[in-house]
Structures are given as C-alpha cells and as structure tokens.
Amino acid sequence: MAEEILAKIKEKFSWQILNIFEKSPRRAYIDLKPENIKEIVEFIFRRLRARFVIVSAVDTRNAIEILYHFSFDIEGKIITLRTKIDKQNPEIESVTPIIKGAEWIEREIYELLGVRFKNHPNLKRLLLAEDWPEGKYPLRRD
Amino acid sequence: MKALTKSIWVFHFAAASCNNCDIEILDALTPRFDLERFGILLVGSIRHADVILATGAISHKAAVRLKRLYEQAPKPCLVVAVGACACSMTMFRDSYNMAGPFDGLVPVHAYIPGCPPKPEAMIMGVVKLIKALKKG
Amino acid sequence: MAKTIIPIGPYHPLQEEPEFFKLLVEGEKVLELEIELGYNHRGIEKIAESKSYDQVLFLVERVCGICSTSHPFASVNAVEELADIKVPERALYIRSIIGELERLHSHLLWLGLAGHFIGYNTVWMWAWRYREPVLDIFEKITGNRQHYAMMKIGGVRRDIESDDIPEIWKMVDGLLPVLDMFKGVVMDDPVIHARLKGVGILTKEDVFEYGALGPTARASGVAIDVRKDDPYAAYPLVDWQVITQEEGDVFAKAVVRILEMYESVKIIKGCLDKLKVVGGEIDAKVKEIPPGEGIGRHEAPRGEVFHYVRSDGSNRPVRYKIRAPSYMNVPTNQKSVVGGTISDATITLAAVDPCYCCTERVAVVDKKTGKKGLTGQDLIKLSQEKTLRIKREMVV
Ligand code: SF4
C-alpha cells in the first residue's frame, strides 16, 4: 500500500519531481520546483485524500525551504513535499484555496519568515503584535 | 489595605503561560484544596477584584492588555506573580516576543515560584500576603 | 435586526495559545466567527534553536501544561528517528503509561469544565476531585504533579519501581467506577441529551478540509489515531481500541472522550503487566546526533502532535517545528459555531477542548454603540439558563 502511493505520485509527476528521498518506509521526502507545488498538493490532497498535517519553513541561509507535510493515516506514512525559494524574493503560490486548514500556517510563515503567499485569501499577521516592525522576521537567520 | 484581608476576590490573568499554573490555580478551588472556604473567590471581571493572580511570561500583545486591565482594577489592587514564568520568565527570557516579566510592567506584591507551584504553595503565598497586609 | 459583535477572550488559562474569538451575532444566531491569536506566542521554535537536544525537551514540555508529556514525547520520537536510536523495551512501556495517565487527567479536566459551562457545577467539582489521584500518582513516580520531565532521548529519566505498580493499579481501578458514573451522567441524562445533541456539528468532510485531529475528528467518524496508524512506544504491544462516534456534535465529542478513558485504563494496565516481566535498562546510550531530519508524532489528548527537527550534526537543532493539535482544531469552530445560537457557542467552543476559561472574559459589545452588554459570566449564565429551561420543560 505504502509503495503504491509513491508510485502513483511518481507516475503522474515524473517530469516535475527532482528527487525522492525515502528515509524509511514510513517517511518520504519529495523535492520539487516551487511552481509545481500547487498542482501536486492538489493531487495529493484531493485525489489521494491525504490528511494535511502542516507546512514548515526553514531558512537555510541561502534559500528558504518550504516543506508540506501530508499524512496517509491508513498506511501510517508521511510524505513531505519540499521546495526551495529565493530568499531575496520569497514568493510562492498559496495552497489555502485548496486546503482550508492551511490558512493559519501560511500566515504564520508570512510573518515569521517573510514569505509571501500569492492568492492567499487573508494574508495578514497571525501571532505578532500590530506594532511589530515591518521587514523584521524572527525566524530568519542573518 | 486592611479591609482587603477579609475576603479576597481574585482575578486570574494568564499572559503567555503554558497554562499549567492556571490549571493549578483552578485546582486550588476544587474540593481537594477548596480555597473558597477562606473567602477567596475567583471573579470574572477585573472590576470586582482585589488581587490579580498573574501567570506566565508576557508577550507584547499581552502586555498591552495587562496595562489596560491594571488601570481598570479598583485600587488598592495587589498583584501576585504565580509561577517561575511570571516571576522571572525563565527560559523564555531571550525570546523575541517577550515584553518583560510582570514586575517590569506593574507593581508586584508577592512572588510564588515553582513550575508550576503546587496549590499548597499558592495557598501559602496568599496567606503570607494577608499576614503582611495585616502588619500594615 | 442589529448585528452585534461578541469578543471572547483573549485570556483564558487552559490552552497553549490564548485566542481571541469574535462572534458576529444577529439576535441569538451566530453569523461569523473570527479568531485572533498571538497573545501567547513565546517564540518557542526560535528558542529551541539555541538549546541542546536535551534542553529542548524541557522547553517543549512547557509548550502546554495540560499535555506536558505530549510534546516531549513527540520530540523524542523525532530525534530518535533522526539519529536512529533504539529504545529499550522497558522504557517504551513507561512512556506509554505516562502518556495515558496524562490523557486520563486531561479528559477529566475537560469533562469538568464542559460540565461547568452547561450549568453542571457538580460535574466540574467531581471531575476535578477524581483527577487528583492521577496527579498524586504522577507526583509519586515523576516527582511533580505536572511537567513530569520523564522523556529523555533514548529512554526515560526515571524507572517505575515494582513497589509502585500496585498503587498505580489501585488508582486506575478506583477510576473505573468514576468513569461509569460519568458515563451514566452523560448518556442517560435527558437534559444533557437535549443540550448537546445536534449542537456544533462537524461533518467528516469538514474534518478533512480543516485537518482536524484527535477526539474532534474521531467524534465525526474519522478514525485517526497516531497510536494505531503509526505505532510507536508500547502502543502496538498492548491491546486497545480506537474510539469513534458518527454524529460529530458536542455530545459525540464528550462520549469519545469518556470512552477513551476506559481505553487508557486498559493500556495502563497492559503496560503495568508487562513491566512486571520486562526488565533491563530504561535508556539507551546516545552519542551523536547526525545531520538529517526527523518527524515525531504523538497522539496527545487533543490529537496528533507533530514535531519536525532538522539537524546539521551539532548538538542543537537548526530548525524545530512544532504543530500542536489545537492549531488545526480551533479553526473548525468557524464551521461548528456559525449557524448556532450564542448560548451554544460556549460549549461548542469548549468541545474542541481548546480553552474554557476564555469564556470567563467574554464581553458582548453592541456594534453601534460599542458598549458592553454582557460579560463573560453572563454568557456562561446564558448557557446555564438554557439548561435550566430545558430541565423545566422536561419536568425533570
Ligand atoms: S511557571 Fe512553569 S507551569 Fe507556570 S506557566 Fe511557566 S512554564 Fe508553565
């Protein structure tokens, strides 16, 4: 079962996938280009009906990495889509129009790392105070 | 001030706490400890309060609220810092979103350390406060 | 009819992140719900980057006080996955016992507060009274009533002595009649039926859309439970079941939680039995954390806790992502509260088990004048009065 999921994704998006890293039978990481994220997220969420877990963002000093974690509960597998975006101009397509549950986390990444999510319905601050200085992102490392 | 020592009504202010301190405060009201038998009552509005029980470290957003609440409180109003976070902020001290411990923002009259302090410790803290008040 | 905005919060002591709910109401009906966060944002993820892995455990323990073992649990799972550490069997049982004891005390706590909100203050006092023995056991085996600091990378910090086993056994046995009583109270009381059934319904589809977790999801018939789906610790080694209900209303959520406590008791007993025969070490030697990444999950009382750790080979994480279950569960209120009445709002908000005392600081503001109309106390009163009214109608 668990292999089937990866096979399905591979089959459909063979030319978009940069790399697949299977850490263990229950954990897989798929590297992608930022422009393909939305399409594959839609496929995994709508077609394969994976549960949306969360998005994490990491500042790797020269780029910002965004990870979309999805859980296949019956198989007990977590598939993580991973993409790198430019730190100077951090911008990526929002997945909130597809997944309602992603609204908060995208807002959080927006304020903590300064990533702009295109077409997010309500991109404003979530956690920090209103008088927090613009352009200062606590989770950036520089 | 002395009038305060009779039946203290407390208002519970939770800043950025992990809420364990808050549970222990509520715990002190339930049958095992039953603070109410001493006339101590948890009230829902700051306007009825004699004592503010403050827990947790203070985030920037919470600091604004705290100041406003303190202004609304009828004076004299005592502030008791409950828990290590409220006393000194412990491990959250270096965080980017912290506005400072309670005593930097409002006058604090008693500190109850512990993470979380046991209900017994809280009761003792309140008793000590009452004793200090009686002395004047 | 005039529309009114009711702000709820932002302060309430019982949740990891105080939220600020704004209800837009028309008469009795709730039209919209807006949620604001950030009062409790402590920047834990950032602080974690400056702590060693051992210190991180103490830090994440303080994410939430009620689930104070859930976060360290997920954290050790993540780091152990990252560094490929094998944990001795005895430690696995101890971990599960701690995890389940926590579920017991957390669900009892919820039950009490839920009771308070619908006007059953006795339930509140009872539930919290019966919660005390659980805390006593915690104090006995871990040294603290809360914040147990039991988890350690590679094992647990303290052993459960064989002398303590009968006492724990006695405590959980003593809890069973209590659970029966609560089950009776909830299942057989017509007033509770009238009050909770059909209120704040969350459908299966909503659960999927919002990614809801834990009892919130299980009450809507979605059988997700990390303990079964992605087995860890001693959960695959003992016998227990995932509890689900189909209706998705507040009543179902209460039932799920009560029945889950029976399962917790079962798990604890199973683990205790094994502890008697499984000896050996309680922690593995951990040398180095290699570069890489790890995902750790744990089924907390409120749902799945998710930790993502990235290491560069030093003794501190490069990135530490924490996702608490309420982060996914709270937005579901936008679905379950809207369309209901204000007097149901308190219990519906509380049904997700996010926060209770927030409602103590509720104030109803008239949109036009901006004047306060109702206080938090009033809102709870409103809720309690409705129960009374139903009681009277039923001539109970
Ligand atoms: S002092 Fe400890 S228990 Fe109290 S809020 Fe702080 S971390 Fe939580």
Side-chain angles (χ1 to χ4, degrees):
Chain A
M1 275 307 276
E3 300 79 46
E4 247 173 56
I5 297 168
L6 263 187
K8 266 190 208 155
I9 300 173
K10 257 191 238 168
E11 183 195 310
K12 187 134 198 289
F13 297 102
S14 55
W15 43 276
Q16 280 113 329
I17 293 175
L18 303 176
N19 184 28
I20 294 190
F21 167 55
E22 278 186 77
K23 191 174 157 60
S24 69
R26 291 177 174 279
R27 306 278 187 265
Y29 296 84
I30 305 178
D31 286 318
L32 295 162
K33 287 219 190 82
E35 53 270 26
N36 298 329
I37 281 286
K38 196 171 176 187
E39 194 185 348
I40 302 184
V41 163
E42 186 154 15
F43 176 75
I44 292 185
F45 188 68
R46 287 276 164 230
R47 280 295 165 75
L48 302 183
R49 309 256 324 157
R51 177 167 60 81
F52 169 71
V53 180
I54 201 67
V55 185
S56 331
V58 188
D59 184 351
T60 56
R61 282 183 206 279
N62 34 35
I64 290 181
E65 225 180 282
I66 302 192
L67 302 104
Y68 298 80
H69 308 280
F70 285 91
S71 164
F72 292 85
D73 288 312
I74 299 164
E75 295 84 5
K77 192 178 177 85
I78 291 194
I79 290 194
T80 302
L81 307 178
R82 189 154 47 177
T83 185
K84 283 201 172 113
I85 56 175
D86 183 15
K87 201 169 165 182
Q88 299 322 325
N89 182 27
E91 216 175 40
I92 191 164
E93 199 62 41
S94 163
V95 298
T96 309
I98 310 170
I99 308 166
K100 278 205 196 105
E103 179 186 336
W104 279 9
I105 186 63
E106 290 196 335
R107 281 168 63 183
E108 190 183 319
I109 295 173
Y110 161 71
E111 69 180 342
L112 298 183
L113 279 139
V115 177
R116 282 188 306 282
F117 290 90
K118 279 184 281 183
N119 300 326
H120 188 290
N122 185 19
L123 197 60
K124 58 180 190 196
R125 282 196 176 151
L126 179 72
L127 299 172
L128 299 174
E130 276 102 58
D131 55 1
W132 185 265
E134 278 294 330
K136 221 177 126 198
Y137 303 113
L139 283 186
R140 288 249 187 131
R141 2 178 90 231
D142 29 30
Chain B
M1 277 291 208
K2 267 203 182 137
L4 275 189
T5 58
K6 287 287 191 279
S7 163
I8 300 185
W9 283 14
V10 296
F11 177 79
H12 173 196
F13 178 88
S17 68
C18 79
N19 67 39
N20 230 341
C21 283
D22 316 280
I23 302 169
E24 293 290 62
I25 289 179
L26 288 184
D27 222 29
L29 296 174
T30 52
R32 163 85 62 99
F33 302 101
D34 200 9
L35 260 185
E36 280 184 16
R37 67 200 147 132
F38 303 120
I40 297 175
L41 194 66
L42 197 66
V43 291
S45 163
I46 184 72
R47 293 195 173 80
H48 302 152
D50 304 316
V51 170
I52 299 177
L53 291 181
T55 62
I58 297 211
S59 64
H60 286 302
K61 260 187 176 174
V64 181
R65 294 274 168 166
L66 173 69
K67 285 204 188 113
R68 205 189 298 163
L69 272 174
Y70 190 72
E71 276 160 20
Q72 289 174 352
K75 306 286 170 335
C77 177
L78 304 178
V79 181
V80 179
V82 178
C85 285
C87 295
S88 69
M89 307 229 301
T90 58
M91 51 178 76
F92 304 110
R93 173 180 319 220
D94 301 325
S95 164
Y96 53 85
N97 202 27
M98 288 295 139
F102 274 92
D103 47 8
L105 297 165
V106 293
V108 174
H109 300 86
Y111 298 86
I112 305 177
C115 183
K118 289 179 149 194
E120 288 98 330
M122 289 181 194
I123 297 172
M124 194 171 93
V126 174
V127 169
K128 274 193 180 162
L129 184 70
I130 294 177
K131 276 196 187 140
L133 282 180
K134 279 200 177 135
K135 263 196 212 136
Chain C
M1 201 185 278
K3 289 186 183 138
T4 310
I5 293 184
I6 310 179
I8 302 185
Y11 292 112
H12 51 77
L14 292 172
Q15 207 237 340
E16 49 262 62
E17 288 156 327
E19 296 107 353
F20 184 30
F21 298 103
K22 255 193 222 153
L23 301 176
L24 181 66
V25 297
E26 192 180 70
E28 278 254 294
K29 216 171 152 68
V30 180
L31 298 178
E32 243 177 72
L33 172 72
E34 199 184 302
I35 306 168
E36 191 190 322
L37 298 173
Y39 294 93
N40 207 349
H41 181 64
R42 282 167 290 174
I44 288 183
E45 292 178 11
K46 181 75 180 174
I47 304 173
E49 290 169 14
S50 64
K51 303 259 183 240
S52 74
Y53 287 101
D54 277 333
Q55 291 171 322
V56 162
L57 292 182
F58 294 106
L59 179 68
V60 297
E61 188 159 49
R62 279 150 185 83
V63 169
C64 169
I66 318 177
C67 335
S68 60
T69 216
S70 303
H71 286 279
F73 210 145
S75 181
V76 291
N77 282 346
V79 177
E80 279 156 14
E81 180 185 307
L82 193 155
D84 216 353
I85 299 165
K86 188 115 184 51
V87 183
E89 199 182 343
R90 190 172 170 87
L92 296 181
Y93 291 118
I94 297 178
R95 280 184 180 179
S96 285
I97 290 176
I98 299 292
E100 292 315 302
L101 282 172
E102 180 174 272
R103 196 178 317 277
L104 283 175
H105 102 71
S106 172
H107 282 355
L108 281 173
L109 186 145
W110 176 83
L111 197 66
L113 286 154
H116 172 58
F117 284 148
I118 56 169
Y120 282 73
N121 270 335
T122 353
V123 173
W124 178 28
M125 291 298 166
W126 270 357
W128 281 51
R129 186 198 163 297
Y130 290 117
R131 195 177 142 256
E132 288 295 329
V134 185
L135 298 183
D136 287 343
I137 291 295
F138 270 131
E139 195 169 356
K140 176 131 190 150
I141 57 184
T142 73
N144 204 357
R145 285 159 56 89
Q146 275 135 352
H147 287 329
Y148 334 110
M150 277 297 266
M151 298 299 160
K152 174 183 180 185
I153 294 164
V156 289
R157 245 170 246 283
R158 299 175 199 87
D159 204 353
I160 294 183
E161 309 282 337
S162 36
D163 302 348
D164 290 340
I165 293 178
E167 198 172 325
I168 305 176
W169 195 281
K170 209 172 116 205
M171 187 279 294
V172 289
D173 259 345
L175 221 47
L176 284 176
V178 177
L179 293 182
D180 288 339
M181 176 186 81
F182 282 124
K183 198 166 113 191
V185 167
V186 173
M187 302 263 194
D188 305 335
D189 189 323
V191 179
I192 291 193
H193 276 236
R195 197 59 227 287
L196 302 183
K197 276 209 163 155
V199 169
I201 295 180
L202 205 64
T203 63
K204 255 188 190 165
E205 203 46 40
D206 297 334
V207 167
F208 177 68
E209 294 286 337
Y210 283 99
L213 302 160
T216 310
R218 291 198 284 273
S220 301
V222 182
I224 45 172
D225 193 318
V226 188
R227 292 173 292 171
K228 268 276 193 282
D229 301 335
D230 186 6
Y232 59 97
Y235 294 115
L237 307 172
V238 291
D239 175 45
W240 64 281
Q241 265 150 24
V242 178
I243 303 286
T244 55
Q245 290 282 314
E246 289 304 318
E247 297 82 8
D249 51 7
V250 178
F251 186 76
K253 285 173 191 150
V255 172
V256 164
R257 290 203 174 89
I258 291 175
L259 295 183
E260 254 178 37
M261 286 195 267
Y262 286 98
E263 296 303 317
S264 294
V265 169
K266 235 198 225 162
I267 297 174
I268 292 171
K269 283 186 173 172
C271 289
L272 285 176
D273 268 337
K274 292 279 176 75
L275 268 192
K276 287 181 197 150
V277 288
V278 179
E281 291 287 307
I282 54 163
D283 56 350
K285 284 266 169 308
V286 182
K287 289 207 192 75
E288 256 173 26
I289 310 286
E293 48 203 337
I295 290 172
R297 303 201 279 171
H298 167 65
E299 185 74 21
R302 286 157 193 73
E304 173 203 45
V305 173
F306 180 93
H307 283 212
Y308 170 81
V309 192
R310 179 175 296 186
S311 148
D312 60 355
S314 68
N315 67 344
R316 288 186 261 157
V318 185
R319 177 79 171 95
Y320 203 101
K321 171 81 201 153
I322 300 167
R323 204 282 326 267
S326 296
Y327 199 88
M328 308 306 285
N329 284 341
V330 170
T332 62
N333 285 324
Q334 282 165 336
K335 260 267 148 27
S336 52
V337 173
V338 171
T341 62
I342 329 177
S343 44
D344 289 337
T346 6
I347 185 67
T348 312
L349 288 174
V352 165
D353 196 2
C355 65
Y356 325 93
C357 294
C358 58
T359 28
E360 282 186 7
R361 271 167 287 280
V362 179
V364 177
V365 178
D366 197 305
K367 208 176 183 182
K368 263 184 269 155
T369 57
K371 234 174 63 191
K372 285 202 168 101
L374 294 166
T375 69
Q377 227 67 346
D378 291 336
L379 211 74
I380 296 180
K381 224 189 261 155
L382 215 75
S383 172
Q384 295 178 343
E385 270 163 16
K386 181 166 176 189
T387 311
L388 263 183
R389 209 162 56 229
I390 295 174
K391 256 190 201 161
R392 236 176 278 130
E393 277 163 18
M394 290 184 160
V395 210
V396 183

